[in-house]
Amino acid sequence: MKLIIVIAFLTAFAGGQWHEEPAIKKSSTNLRDEVRQIIAPKCGSCHTSSLPTAKPGAIKIFDLKRNDWPSTISSQQFEKFKGRLSGESDNIRKKIDKLVESELAQRKNSPR
């Protein structure tokens, strides 16, 4: 009986730990994908490496072809990024702000 309780406890505890991180990753991935779709019409021609209109300097900053496209944007570049999209609707700006906050928080909390 004790063994069953211990196994149940460990399963419940470990299950919570194992499922928490992927949920955060999934949320982050979903937000990246949402923002990618939002900015693609305005930024995609220069920031998509598979297009003939892609610019090498733009691709160095971010490449919408990559799943982790925001990972190459510096903190300073994020401010410019937000500024270039300032004419968008409140809903879009909120998503962009959320993405920037999320990306910067992940960098701050990740071990180097």
Side-chain angles (χ1 to χ4, degrees), residues 15-82:
Q17 295 288 65
W18 290 340
H19 295 294
E20 186 175 339
E21 189 174 333
I24 291 169
K25 256 186 189 171
K26 184 177 179 183
S27 173
S28 176
T29 300
N30 289 344
L31 184 57
R32 285 177 173 184
D33 290 343
E34 265 188 82
V35 173
R36 179 196 338 252
Q37 290 175 6
I38 290 167
I39 67 171
K42 189 172 185 175
C43 308
S45 62
C46 296
H47 288 278
T48 305
S49 61
S50 61
L51 297 177
T53 55
K55 297 186 176 168
I59 296 301
K60 284 182 183 177
I61 297 170
F62 68 90
D63 181 0
L64 291 175
K65 209 52 187 152
R66 295 178 50 166
N67 288 334
D68 66 343
W69 64 270
S71 68
T72 54
I73 303 175
S74 73
S75 299
Q76 291 173 330
Q77 291 165 334
F78 267 131
E79 290 306 314
K80 290 179 184 177
F81 176 77
K82 287 169 45 175

